Amino acid sequence: MLVIGLTGSLGTGKSTVAAMFAKRGIKIIDADTITRDLLAPGKKCVKKVAKIFPGVILKLNSTINRSELAKLVFNHPRELQKLTDILYPEALKVVKSQISRYKHEPFVILDAPLLFESGWDKITDTTIVVQAMRRQQFERAQKRLGITRSDVSRRLKNQMPLKKKCDMADIIIDNSRGLMQTRKQVDAIIHRLGRISNKN
């Protein structure tokens, strides 16, 4: 089985591409879903987050105010690092468990926004980066998240540059020319990876 790391930058359309892989029957391990679950009420990570970020806890039911947490960490790289230091070691355990569960699949997609930043690319066999034009990133992020252009700019400045991610990637998907062209690239990658997995 091959583990394929999928990542991108804000507004490049990584989630759209992940959905395309899923529609083709490819198993997806979603890092965002895993980390969200780690912050669900009663989970041990909640106490750790509350200790470092006391202002993001809703007093009534001791849950995380996710919108406040997002504002804090996405605007300050050091704060984001503190959060990932709490969440990612626990999330990695879940990721490895899910990889083991899918061991009979020819390949599986690990969908992780911070694939390179977290070092999770080391547990993958191949990495894919989804890219788009800067203008498209702003338009998509504003529409999807309902945030201002300055918010998008701030978040992008605090991320690893997209060019650097592309330089580190084994495969690049250009998601700037329409969904049909993106689907063609996804199908070609599935065909290519299928041939590689059959040789192993």
Side-chain angles (χ1 to χ4, degrees):
M1 182 193 71
L2 298 175
V3 179
I4 313 302
L6 175 67
T7 192
S9 187
L10 182 64
T12 59
K14 175 187 63 63
S15 297
T16 298
V17 170
M20 290 179 181
F21 277 106
K23 197 169 183 179
R24 299 298 191 272
I26 309 303
K27 301 297 183 185
I28 308 292
I29 299 174
D30 188 335
D32 274 348
T33 298
I34 291 170
T35 53
R36 272 198 303 270
D37 184 60
L38 291 173
L39 291 176
K43 295 295 179 73
K44 64 180 181 180
C45 285
V46 173
K47 288 186 177 180
K48 293 180 180 179
V49 170
K51 187 175 181 180
I52 295 179
F53 307 104
V56 303
I57 294 294
L58 297 172
K59 303 296 183 183
L60 290 177
N61 51 11
S62 297
T63 59
I64 300 288
N65 185 329
R66 294 176 187 275
S67 62
E68 287 301 315
L69 182 61
K71 286 179 188 176
L72 179 62
V73 301
F74 287 131
N75 290 328
H76 301 91
R78 289 182 182 177
E79 301 306 305
L80 179 59
Q81 186 62 54
K82 290 177 187 177
L83 181 63
T84 56
D85 284 347
I86 295 171
L87 295 178
Y88 270 54
E90 294 299 321
L92 184 58
K93 295 176 186 176
V94 180
V95 167
K96 289 181 176 179
S97 174
Q98 291 192 15
I99 289 173
S100 178
R101 186 191 311 164
Y102 295 138
K103 63 183 178 182
H104 298 300
E105 297 288 331
F107 56 93
V108 63
I109 298 287
L110 170 56
D111 177 359
L114 301 179
L115 182 74
F116 295 118
E117 295 92 330
S118 65
W120 286 8
D121 58 302
K122 294 180 178 65
I123 65 170
T124 68
D125 299 292
T126 301
T127 56
I128 300 173
V129 168
V130 181
Q131 69 171 7
M133 292 185 290
R134 191 77 165 181
R135 169 181 55 79
Q136 292 171 318
Q137 288 185 258
F138 275 87
E139 291 172 355
R140 293 169 181 172
Q142 284 182 264
K143 183 177 179 179
R144 182 170 64 88
L145 300 173
I147 57 180
T148 66
R149 186 176 179 82
S150 60
D151 286 334
V152 176
S153 181
R154 211 164 18 243
R155 291 193 185 192
L156 286 172
K157 285 178 181 176
N158 289 327
Q159 291 184 347
M160 179 186 288
L162 182 58
K163 184 182 183 304
K164 185 174 180 180
K165 291 187 178 185
C166 288
D167 289 342
M168 296 172 72
D170 298 306
I171 301 170
I172 296 172
I173 292 179
D174 182 1
N175 189 32
S176 65
R177 297 177 293 163
L179 292 179
M180 186 177 294
Q181 290 299 320
T182 302
R183 286 192 194 96
K184 287 181 180 179
Q185 293 173 75
V186 168
D187 288 341
I189 290 168
I190 291 173
H191 179 69
R192 172 183 167 186
L193 294 176
R195 292 175 58 186
I196 294 172
S197 65
N198 287 335
K199 291 179 181 178
N200 293 340

